[in-house]
Coordinates of all heavy atoms in Angstrom, one line a residue:
M100 N 0.8 -1.2 0.0 CA 0.0 0.0 0.0 C 0.9 1.2 0.0 O 1.8 1.4 0.8 CB -0.9 0.0 1.2 CG -1.7 1.2 1.3 SD -2.6 1.3 2.7 CE -3.6 1.3 3.5
T101 N 0.7 2.1 -0.9 CA 1.5 3.3 -1.1 C 0.7 4.5 -0.7 O -0.5 4.7 -1.2 CB 2.0 3.5 -2.5 OG1 2.7 2.3 -2.9 CG2 2.9 4.7 -2.7
L102 N 1.2 5.3 0.2 CA 0.5 6.6 0.5 C 1.0 7.7 -0.3 O 2.2 7.9 -0.5 CB 0.7 6.9 2.0 CG 0.2 5.9 3.0 CD1 0.7 6.2 4.4 CD2 -1.3 5.8 3.0
H103 N 0.1 8.5 -0.9 CA 0.5 9.6 -1.7 C 0.0 10.9 -0.9 O -1.1 11.0 -0.4 CB -0.2 9.6 -3.0 CG 0.2 8.4 -3.9 ND1 1.4 8.4 -4.5 CD2 -0.4 7.2 -4.2 CE1 1.6 7.3 -5.2 NE2 0.5 6.5 -5.0
L104 N 0.9 11.9 -1.0 CA 0.6 13.2 -0.4 C -0.3 14.0 -1.3 O -0.2 13.9 -2.5 CB 1.8 14.0 -0.1 CG 2.8 13.4 1.0 CD1 4.0 14.3 1.1 CD2 2.1 13.4 2.3
P105 N -1.2 14.7 -0.7 CA -2.0 15.6 -1.6 C -1.1 16.7 -2.2 O 0.0 17.0 -1.7 CB -3.0 16.2 -0.7 CG -2.9 15.6 0.6 CD -1.7 14.8 0.6
E106 N -1.6 17.3 -3.3 CA -0.8 18.3 -4.0 C -0.5 19.5 -3.2 O 0.4 20.3 -3.4 CB -1.5 18.7 -5.3 CG -1.5 17.6 -6.3 CD -0.1 17.3 -6.9 OE1 0.7 18.2 -7.0 OE2 0.2 16.1 -7.1
T107 N -1.4 19.8 -2.2 CA -1.3 21.0 -1.3 C -0.1 20.9 -0.3 O 0.4 21.9 0.2 CB -2.6 21.3 -0.6 OG1 -2.9 20.1 0.2 CG2 -3.7 21.6 -1.6
I108 N 0.3 19.7 0.0 CA 1.4 19.5 1.0 C 2.7 19.3 0.2 O 2.8 18.4 -0.6 CB 1.1 18.2 1.9 CG1 -0.2 18.4 2.7 CG2 2.3 18.0 2.8 CD1 -0.6 17.2 3.5
P109 N 3.7 20.2 0.4 CA 4.9 20.0 -0.3 C 5.7 18.8 0.1 O 5.7 18.4 1.3 CB 5.7 21.4 0.0 CG 5.1 21.8 1.3 CD 3.7 21.3 1.3
D110 N 6.5 18.3 -0.8 CA 7.4 17.2 -0.5 C 8.7 17.7 0.2 O 9.3 18.6 -0.3 CB 7.7 16.4 -1.7 CG 8.5 15.2 -1.5 OD1 8.4 14.6 -0.4 OD2 9.2 14.7 -2.4
T111 N 9.0 17.1 1.4 CA 10.2 17.6 2.1 C 11.2 16.6 2.2 O 12.1 16.7 3.1 CB 9.7 18.0 3.5 OG1 9.1 16.9 4.2 CG2 8.8 19.2 3.5
T112 N 11.2 15.5 1.4 CA 12.2 14.5 1.5 C 13.6 15.0 1.2 O 14.6 14.5 1.7 CB 11.9 13.3 0.7 OG1 11.7 13.7 -0.7 CG2 10.7 12.6 1.2
Y113 N 13.7 16.0 0.3 CA 15.0 16.6 0.0 C 15.7 17.2 1.2 O 16.9 17.2 1.3 CB 15.0 17.5 -1.2 CG 14.2 18.8 -0.8 CD1 15.0 19.9 -0.4 CD2 12.9 18.9 -0.9 CE1 14.3 21.1 -0.1 CE2 12.2 20.1 -0.6 CZ 12.9 21.2 -0.2 OH 12.3 22.4 0.1
I114 N 14.9 17.7 2.1 CA 15.5 18.3 3.4 C 16.2 17.2 4.2 O 17.3 17.4 4.7 CB 14.4 19.0 4.2 CG1 13.9 20.2 3.4 CG2 14.9 19.4 5.5 CD1 12.7 20.9 4.0
Y115 N 15.5 16.0 4.3 CA 16.2 14.9 5.0 C 17.5 14.5 4.3 O 18.4 14.1 5.0 CB 15.2 13.7 5.0 CG 14.0 14.0 5.8 CD1 12.7 13.7 5.2 CD2 14.0 14.5 7.1 CE1 11.6 14.0 5.9 CE2 12.8 14.7 7.8 CZ 11.6 14.5 7.2 OH 10.5 14.7 7.9
G116 N 17.5 14.6 3.0 CA 18.8 14.3 2.3 C 19.9 15.3 2.6 O 21.0 14.9 2.9
Y117 N 19.5 16.5 2.7 CA 20.5 17.5 3.0 C 21.0 17.4 4.5 O 22.2 17.6 4.8 CB 20.0 19.0 2.8 CG 19.9 19.3 1.4 CD1 18.8 19.9 0.9 CD2 21.0 19.1 0.5 CE1 18.7 20.3 -0.5 CE2 20.9 19.4 -0.8 CZ 19.8 20.0 -1.3 OH 19.7 20.4 -2.6
V118 N 20.1 17.0 5.4 CA 20.4 16.8 6.8 C 21.4 15.6 6.9 O 22.4 15.6 7.6 CB 19.2 16.6 7.7 CG1 19.5 16.1 9.0 CG2 18.4 17.9 7.7
L119 N 21.1 14.5 6.2 CA 21.9 13.4 6.2 C 23.3 13.7 5.6 O 24.3 13.2 6.2 CB 21.3 12.2 5.4 CG 22.0 10.9 5.3 CD1 22.1 10.3 6.7 CD2 21.3 9.9 4.4
L120 N 23.4 14.4 4.5 CA 24.7 14.8 4.0 C 25.5 15.7 5.0 O 26.7 15.5 5.1 CB 24.5 15.6 2.7 CG 24.2 14.7 1.4 CD1 23.9 15.6 0.3 CD2 25.4 13.9 1.1
G121 N 24.8 16.6 5.6 CA 25.5 17.5 6.6 C 26.0 16.7 7.8 O 27.1 16.9 8.3
A122 N 25.2 15.7 8.3 CA 25.6 14.9 9.4 C 26.8 14.0 9.0 O 27.7 13.8 9.8 CB 24.4 14.1 9.9
T123 N 26.7 13.5 7.8 CA 27.8 12.6 7.3 C 29.1 13.4 7.2 O 30.2 13.0 7.6 CB 27.5 12.0 6.0 OG1 26.2 11.3 6.1 CG2 28.6 11.1 5.5
F124 N 29.0 14.6 6.7 CA 30.2 15.5 6.6 C 30.8 15.9 7.9 O 32.0 15.8 8.1 CB 29.8 16.8 5.8 CG 31.0 17.7 5.7 CD1 32.0 17.5 4.8 CD2 31.0 18.9 6.4 CE1 33.1 18.4 4.7 CE2 32.0 19.8 6.4 CZ 33.1 19.5 5.5
M125 N 29.9 16.2 8.9 CA 30.4 16.5 10.2 C 31.0 15.3 10.9 O 32.1 15.4 11.6 CB 29.2 17.0 11.1 CG 28.7 18.4 10.7 SD 30.0 19.7 10.8 CE 30.3 19.7 12.5
F126 N 30.4 14.1 10.8 CA 31.0 12.9 11.4 C 32.4 12.6 10.7 O 33.3 12.3 11.4 CB 30.1 11.7 11.2 CG 30.6 10.5 11.8 CD1 30.6 10.3 13.1 CD2 31.1 9.5 10.9 CE1 31.1 9.1 13.7 CE2 31.7 8.3 11.5 CZ 31.7 8.1 12.8
F127 N 32.5 12.8 9.4 CA 33.7 12.5 8.7 C 34.8 13.5 9.2 O 35.9 13.0 9.5 CB 33.5 12.6 7.2 CG 34.8 12.4 6.4 CD1 35.4 11.1 6.3 CD2 35.4 13.4 5.8 CE1 36.5 10.9 5.6 CE2 36.6 13.3 5.1 CZ 37.1 12.0 5.0
T128 N 34.5 14.8 9.2 CA 35.5 15.7 9.6 C 36.0 15.6 11.0 O 37.2 15.7 11.3 CB 35.0 17.2 9.3 OG1 33.8 17.4 10.0 CG2 34.9 17.4 7.9
T129 N 35.0 15.3 11.9 CA 35.4 15.1 13.3 C 36.2 13.8 13.5 O 37.2 13.8 14.3 CB 34.2 15.1 14.3 OG1 33.3 14.2 13.9 CG2 33.6 16.5 14.4
S130 N 35.8 12.8 12.8 CA 36.6 11.5 12.9 C 38.0 11.7 12.3 O 39.0 11.2 13.0 CB 35.9 10.4 12.1 OG 34.7 10.1 12.7
V131 N 38.2 12.4 11.2 CA 39.5 12.6 10.7 C 40.3 13.5 11.7 O 41.5 13.2 11.9 CB 39.4 13.3 9.3 CG1 40.8 13.8 8.9 CG2 38.9 12.3 8.3
Y132 N 39.7 14.5 12.3 CA 40.4 15.3 13.2 C 40.9 14.4 14.4 O 42.0 14.5 14.8 CB 39.6 16.4 13.7 CG 40.2 17.2 14.9 CD1 41.3 18.1 14.6 CD2 39.8 17.0 16.2 CE1 41.9 18.7 15.6 CE2 40.5 17.7 17.2 CZ 41.5 18.5 16.9 OH 42.1 19.2 18.0
F133 N 40.0 13.6 15.0 CA 40.3 12.8 16.2 C 41.3 11.7 15.8 O 42.2 11.4 16.7 CB 39.1 12.2 16.8 CG 38.3 13.2 17.5 CD1 36.9 13.1 17.5 CD2 38.8 14.3 18.2 CE1 36.1 14.1 18.2 CE2 38.1 15.2 18.9 CZ 36.7 15.1 18.9
I134 N 41.3 11.2 14.6 CA 42.2 10.1 14.3 C 43.5 10.6 13.8 O 44.6 10.0 14.2 CB 41.5 9.2 13.3 CG1 40.3 8.4 13.8 CG2 42.5 8.1 12.7 CD1 39.5 7.7 12.8
V135 N 43.6 11.6 13.0 CA 44.8 12.0 12.4 C 45.3 13.4 12.9 O 46.4 13.5 13.4 CB 44.6 12.1 10.9 CG1 45.9 12.6 10.2 CG2 44.2 10.8 10.3
A136 N 44.5 14.4 12.8 CA 45.0 15.8 13.1 C 45.3 16.0 14.5 O 46.2 16.8 14.8 CB 44.0 16.8 12.5
S137 N 44.5 15.5 15.4 CA 44.7 15.8 16.9 C 46.1 15.3 17.4 O 46.6 15.8 18.4 CB 43.6 15.2 17.7 OG 43.7 13.8 17.7
K138 N 46.7 14.3 16.7 CA 48.0 13.8 17.2 C 49.1 14.8 16.9 O 50.1 14.8 17.6 CB 48.3 12.5 16.4 CG 47.2 11.5 16.5 CD 46.9 11.0 17.9 CE 45.9 9.9 17.8 NZ 45.0 9.8 18.9
Y139 N 48.9 15.7 15.9 CA 49.9 16.7 15.6 C 49.6 18.1 16.1 O 50.4 19.0 16.0 CB 50.0 16.8 14.1 CG 50.4 15.5 13.4 CD1 49.5 14.8 12.7 CD2 51.7 15.0 13.6 CE1 49.8 13.5 12.1 CE2 52.0 13.8 13.0 CZ 51.1 13.1 12.3 OH 51.5 11.9 11.8
M140 N 48.5 18.3 16.8 CA 48.1 19.6 17.3 C 48.6 19.7 18.8 O 48.8 18.7 19.5 CB 46.6 19.8 17.4 CG 46.0 19.6 16.0 SD 46.4 20.9 14.9 CE 45.0 21.9 15.1
P141 N 48.9 21.0 19.2 CA 49.3 21.1 20.6 C 48.1 20.8 21.6 O 46.9 20.7 21.1 CB 49.7 22.6 20.7 CG 49.0 23.2 19.6 CD 48.8 22.2 18.5
D142 N 48.4 20.7 22.9 CA 47.3 20.5 23.8 C 46.3 21.6 23.8 O 46.7 22.8 23.8 CB 47.9 20.3 25.2 CG 48.6 19.0 25.4 OD1 48.4 18.1 24.5 OD2 49.4 18.8 26.4
T143 N 45.0 21.3 23.9 CA 44.0 22.3 23.9 C 43.5 22.7 25.3 O 42.7 23.6 25.4 CB 42.8 21.8 23.1 OG1 42.3 20.6 23.7 CG2 43.2 21.5 21.7
H144 N 43.8 21.9 26.3 CA 43.4 22.0 27.7 C 41.9 21.8 27.8 O 41.3 22.3 28.8 CB 43.8 23.4 28.3 CG 45.3 23.6 28.2 ND1 46.2 22.8 29.0 CD2 46.1 24.4 27.5 CE1 47.4 23.2 28.8 NE2 47.4 24.2 27.9
I145 N 41.3 21.2 26.8 CA 39.9 20.7 26.9 C 40.1 19.2 27.2 O 40.7 18.5 26.4 CB 39.1 20.9 25.6 CG1 39.1 22.4 25.2 CG2 37.7 20.4 25.7 CD1 38.5 22.7 23.9
K146 N 39.5 18.8 28.3 CA 39.8 17.5 28.9 C 39.5 16.4 27.9 O 40.3 15.5 27.7 CB 38.9 17.3 30.1 CG 39.4 16.2 31.0 CD 38.6 16.2 32.3 CE 39.3 15.3 33.3 NZ 38.7 15.3 34.6
I147 N 38.3 16.4 27.2 CA 38.0 15.2 26.4 C 38.8 15.2 25.1 O 39.2 14.2 24.6 CB 36.4 15.2 26.1 CG1 36.1 13.9 25.4 CG2 36.0 16.4 25.2 CD1 34.6 13.6 25.5
V148 N 39.1 16.4 24.5 CA 39.9 16.5 23.3 C 41.3 16.0 23.6 O 41.9 15.3 22.8 CB 39.8 17.9 22.7 CG1 40.7 18.0 21.5 CG2 38.4 18.3 22.3
D149 N 41.9 16.4 24.7 CA 43.2 16.0 25.0 C 43.2 14.5 25.3 O 44.2 13.8 25.0 CB 43.8 16.7 26.2 CG 44.1 18.2 25.8 OD1 44.3 18.4 24.6 OD2 44.2 19.0 26.7
W150 N 42.1 13.9 25.9 CA 42.1 12.5 26.2 C 42.0 11.7 24.9 O 42.7 10.7 24.7 CB 40.8 12.2 27.0 CG 40.6 10.7 27.2 CD1 41.3 9.9 28.1 CD2 39.6 9.9 26.6 NE1 40.8 8.7 28.0 CE2 39.8 8.6 27.1 CE3 38.7 10.2 25.6 CZ2 39.0 7.6 26.7 CZ3 37.9 9.1 25.2 CH2 38.0 7.8 25.7
I151 N 41.3 12.2 23.9 CA 41.2 11.6 22.6 C 42.6 11.7 21.9 O 43.0 10.8 21.2 CB 40.1 12.2 21.7 CG1 38.8 11.8 22.3 CG2 40.2 11.8 20.3 CD1 37.6 12.5 21.7
K152 N 43.3 12.8 22.1 CA 44.6 13.0 21.5 C 45.6 11.9 21.9 O 46.3 11.4 21.1 CB 45.2 14.4 21.8 CG 46.5 14.6 21.3 CD 47.0 15.9 21.7 CE 48.4 16.1 21.2 NZ 49.0 17.4 21.5
Y153 N 45.6 11.6 23.2 CA 46.5 10.6 23.7 C 46.0 9.2 23.7 O 46.6 8.2 24.2 CB 47.0 11.0 25.1 CG 47.8 12.3 25.1 CD1 47.2 13.4 25.7 CD2 49.0 12.3 24.5 CE1 48.0 14.6 25.6 CE2 49.7 13.5 24.5 CZ 49.2 14.6 25.0 OH 49.9 15.8 25.0
D154 N 44.7 9.0 23.2 CA 44.1 7.7 23.2 C 44.5 6.9 21.9 O 44.6 7.5 20.8 CB 42.6 7.8 23.3 CG 41.9 6.5 23.2 OD1 42.3 5.7 24.0 OD2 41.0 6.4 22.4
N155 N 44.7 5.6 22.0 CA 45.0 4.8 20.8 C 43.9 3.8 20.6 O 44.1 2.9 19.7 CB 46.4 4.2 21.0 CG 47.5 5.1 20.9 OD1 47.4 6.1 20.1 ND2 48.5 4.9 21.6
Y156 N 42.9 3.7 21.3 CA 41.9 2.7 21.2 C 40.5 3.2 20.7 O 40.0 2.9 19.7 CB 41.7 2.0 22.5 CG 40.7 0.9 22.5 CD1 40.9 -0.3 21.8 CD2 39.4 1.0 23.1 CE1 39.9 -1.3 21.7 CE2 38.5 0.0 23.1 CZ 38.7 -1.1 22.4 OH 37.8 -2.1 22.4
Y157 N 39.9 4.1 21.5 CA 38.6 4.6 21.2 C 38.5 5.5 20.0 O 37.5 5.6 19.3 CB 38.0 5.3 22.4 CG 37.7 4.4 23.5 CD1 38.4 4.3 24.7 CD2 36.5 3.6 23.4 CE1 38.1 3.4 25.7 CE2 36.2 2.7 24.4 CZ 37.0 2.6 25.5 OH 36.7 1.8 26.5
C158 N 39.6 6.2 19.6 CA 39.6 7.0 18.4 C 39.4 6.2 17.2 O 38.9 6.7 16.1 CB 40.8 7.9 18.4 SG 42.3 7.1 18.0
F159 N 39.8 4.9 17.2 CA 39.6 4.0 16.0 C 38.3 3.2 16.2 O 37.7 2.8 15.2 CB 40.8 3.1 15.9 CG 42.0 3.8 15.5 CD1 43.1 3.7 16.4 CD2 42.1 4.5 14.4 CE1 44.3 4.4 16.0 CE2 43.3 5.2 14.0 CZ 44.4 5.1 14.9
L160 N 37.9 2.9 17.4 CA 36.8 2.1 17.7 C 35.4 2.6 17.2 O 34.7 1.9 16.5 CB 36.6 1.8 19.2 CG 35.5 0.9 19.6 CD1 35.7 -0.5 19.1 CD2 35.3 0.9 21.1
I161 N 35.2 3.9 17.4 CA 33.9 4.5 17.0 C 33.7 4.5 15.5 O 32.7 4.1 15.0 CB 33.7 5.8 17.7 CG1 33.6 5.6 19.2 CG2 32.5 6.5 17.1 CD1 33.6 6.9 20.0
P162 N 34.7 5.0 14.7 CA 34.5 5.0 13.2 C 34.3 3.5 12.7 O 33.5 3.3 11.8 CB 35.7 5.7 12.7 CG 36.2 6.5 13.8 CD 35.9 5.8 15.0
I163 N 35.1 2.6 13.2 CA 35.0 1.2 12.7 C 33.6 0.6 13.1 O 33.0 -0.1 12.3 CB 36.2 0.4 13.3 CG1 37.4 0.8 12.6 CG2 35.9 -1.1 13.1 CD1 38.7 0.2 13.1
T164 N 33.2 0.9 14.3 CA 31.9 0.4 14.8 C 30.7 1.0 13.9 O 29.8 0.3 13.6 CB 31.6 0.8 16.2 OG1 32.7 0.3 17.0 CG2 30.3 0.2 16.7
V165 N 30.8 2.2 13.5 CA 29.8 2.8 12.6 C 29.8 2.0 11.3 O 28.7 1.8 10.8 CB 30.1 4.3 12.4 CG1 29.2 4.9 11.3 CG2 29.8 5.1 13.7
I166 N 30.9 1.7 10.7 CA 30.9 0.9 9.5 C 30.3 -0.4 9.7 O 29.5 -0.9 8.8 CB 32.4 0.8 9.0 CG1 32.9 2.2 8.6 CG2 32.5 -0.2 7.8 CD1 34.4 2.2 8.3
V167 N 30.5 -1.1 10.8 CA 29.9 -2.4 11.0 C 28.4 -2.2 11.2 O 27.7 -3.1 10.7 CB 30.6 -3.0 12.3 CG1 29.8 -4.3 12.7 CG2 32.0 -3.4 12.0
W168 N 28.0 -1.2 11.9 CA 26.5 -1.0 12.1 C 25.9 -0.7 10.7 O 24.7 -1.3 10.5 CB 26.3 0.2 13.0 CG 26.2 -0.2 14.4 CD1 27.2 0.0 15.4 CD2 25.1 -0.8 15.1 NE1 26.8 -0.6 16.5 CE2 25.5 -1.0 16.4 CE3 23.9 -1.2 14.6 CZ2 24.6 -1.6 17.3 CZ3 23.0 -1.8 15.6 CH2 23.4 -2.0 16.9
I169 N 26.5 0.0 9.8 CA 25.9 0.2 8.5 C 25.8 -1.1 7.8 O 24.8 -1.4 7.1 CB 26.7 1.3 7.7 CG1 26.5 2.7 8.3 CG2 26.3 1.3 6.3 CD1 27.5 3.7 7.8
Y170 N 26.8 -1.9 7.8 CA 26.8 -3.2 7.2 C 25.7 -4.1 7.8 O 24.9 -4.7 7.0 CB 28.2 -3.8 7.3 CG 28.3 -5.2 6.6 CD1 28.5 -5.2 5.3 CD2 28.3 -6.4 7.4 CE1 28.6 -6.4 4.6 CE2 28.5 -7.6 6.7 CZ 28.6 -7.6 5.4 OH 28.8 -8.8 4.7
W171 N 25.6 -4.1 9.1 CA 24.6 -4.9 9.8 C 23.2 -4.4 9.4 O 22.3 -5.3 9.1 CB 24.8 -4.8 11.3 CG 23.7 -5.5 12.1 CD1 22.7 -4.9 12.7 CD2 23.7 -6.9 12.3 NE1 22.0 -5.9 13.4 CE2 22.5 -7.1 13.1 CE3 24.4 -8.0 11.9 CZ2 22.1 -8.4 13.5 CZ3 24.0 -9.2 12.3 CH2 22.9 -9.4 13.1
I172 N 22.9 -3.1 9.4 CA 21.6 -2.6 9.0 C 21.2 -2.9 7.6 O 20.1 -3.3 7.3 CB 21.5 -1.1 9.3 CG1 21.5 -0.9 10.8 CG2 20.3 -0.5 8.7 CD1 21.8 0.6 11.2
L173 N 22.2 -2.8 6.7 CA 22.0 -3.1 5.3 C 21.6 -4.6 5.1 O 20.6 -4.9 4.4 CB 23.2 -2.8 4.4 CG 23.1 -3.2 3.0 CD1 22.2 -2.2 2.3 CD2 24.5 -3.1 2.3
W174 N 22.3 -5.5 5.7 CA 21.9 -6.9 5.6 C 20.6 -7.3 6.3 O 19.9 -8.1 5.8 CB 23.1 -7.8 6.1 CG 24.1 -7.9 5.0 CD1 25.3 -7.3 5.0 CD2 24.0 -8.7 3.8 NE1 26.0 -7.6 3.9 CE2 25.2 -8.5 3.1 CE3 23.1 -9.6 3.3 CZ2 25.5 -9.1 1.9 CZ3 23.4 -10.2 2.1 CH2 24.5 -9.9 1.4
N175 N 20.3 -6.6 7.4 CA 19.0 -6.8 8.0 C 17.9 -6.3 7.1 O 16.9 -7.0 7.0 CB 19.0 -5.9 9.3 CG 18.8 -6.7 10.5 OD1 18.5 -7.9 10.5 ND2 19.0 -6.1 11.7
W176 N 18.1 -5.2 6.5 CA 17.0 -4.7 5.6 C 16.9 -5.7 4.4 O 15.8 -6.0 4.0 CB 17.4 -3.3 5.1 CG 16.6 -2.8 4.0 CD1 15.3 -2.2 4.1 CD2 16.9 -2.8 2.6 NE1 14.9 -1.9 2.9 CE2 15.8 -2.2 2.0 CE3 18.0 -3.2 1.9 CZ2 15.8 -2.0 0.6 CZ3 18.0 -3.0 0.5 CH2 16.9 -2.4 -0.1
M177 N 18.0 -6.1 3.8 CA 17.9 -7.0 2.7 C 17.3 -8.3 3.1 O 16.5 -8.9 2.3 CB 19.3 -7.3 2.1 CG 19.3 -8.1 0.8 SD 20.9 -8.2 0.0 CE 21.2 -6.6 -0.4
G178 N 17.6 -8.9 4.3 CA 16.9 -10.1 4.7 C 15.4 -9.9 4.9 O 14.6 -10.8 4.5
M179 N 15.0 -8.8 5.4 CA 13.6 -8.5 5.5 C 12.9 -8.4 4.1 O 11.8 -8.9 3.9 CB 13.3 -7.2 6.3 CG 11.9 -6.9 6.5 SD 11.0 -8.2 7.4 CE 11.7 -7.9 9.1
K180 N 13.6 -7.8 3.2 CA 13.0 -7.7 1.8 C 12.9 -9.1 1.2 O 11.9 -9.4 0.6 CB 13.9 -6.9 0.9 CG 13.8 -5.4 1.2 CD 12.5 -4.9 0.8 CE 12.4 -3.4 0.9 NZ 11.1 -2.9 0.6
F181 N 13.9 -9.9 1.4 CA 13.8 -11.3 0.9 C 12.7 -12.1 1.5 O 11.9 -12.8 0.9 CB 15.1 -12.1 1.1 CG 16.2 -11.6 0.2 CD1 17.5 -11.9 0.5 CD2 16.0 -11.0 -1.1 CE1 18.6 -11.5 -0.3 CE2 17.0 -10.7 -1.9 CZ 18.3 -10.9 -1.5
F182 N 12.5 -11.9 2.8 CA 11.4 -12.5 3.6 C 10.0 -12.1 3.1 O 9.1 -12.9 2.9 CB 11.6 -12.3 5.1 CG 10.5 -12.9 5.9 CD1 10.5 -14.2 6.1 CD2 9.5 -12.1 6.4 CE1 9.5 -14.8 6.9 CE2 8.5 -12.6 7.2 CZ 8.5 -14.0 7.4
R183 N 9.9 -10.8 2.9 CA 8.6 -10.3 2.6 C 8.2 -10.5 1.1 O 7.0 -10.6 0.8 CB 8.5 -8.7 2.8 CG 8.5 -8.4 4.3 CD 8.4 -6.9 4.5 NE 7.0 -6.5 4.2 CZ 6.7 -5.3 3.9 NH1 7.6 -4.3 4.0 NH2 5.4 -5.0 3.7
H184 N 9.1 -10.6 0.2 CA 8.8 -10.8 -1.2 C 9.0 -12.2 -1.7 O 8.9 -12.5 -2.9 CB 9.7 -9.9 -2.0 CG 9.4 -8.4 -1.8 ND1 8.3 -7.8 -2.2 CD2 10.1 -7.4 -1.1 CE1 8.3 -6.5 -1.8 NE2 9.4 -6.3 -1.2
N185 N 9.1 -13.2 -0.8 CA 9.2 -14.6 -1.2 C 7.9 -15.3 -0.9 O 7.2 -15.1 -0.1 CB 10.3 -15.3 -0.6 CG 11.5 -15.3 -1.5 OD1 11.4 -15.0 -2.7 ND2 12.7 -15.5 -0.9

């Protein structure tokens, strides 16, 4: 069953696309900063940023976990599609 919006209500799905692109860009830039650039920067005296600078475990764990979650969600979705359409 497909729901169609009336012509009087504008379609706002492109806004969700821009929000997703912006969030992806922000996640990528902060991950690159925490993984690569923070090692070469001087101390900032911000407790969490300096902790990430001297950390060798969690700065890699979170970006790798996000990739695994995307893979898991994709296969979950595909399995549901195969189940529903067979």
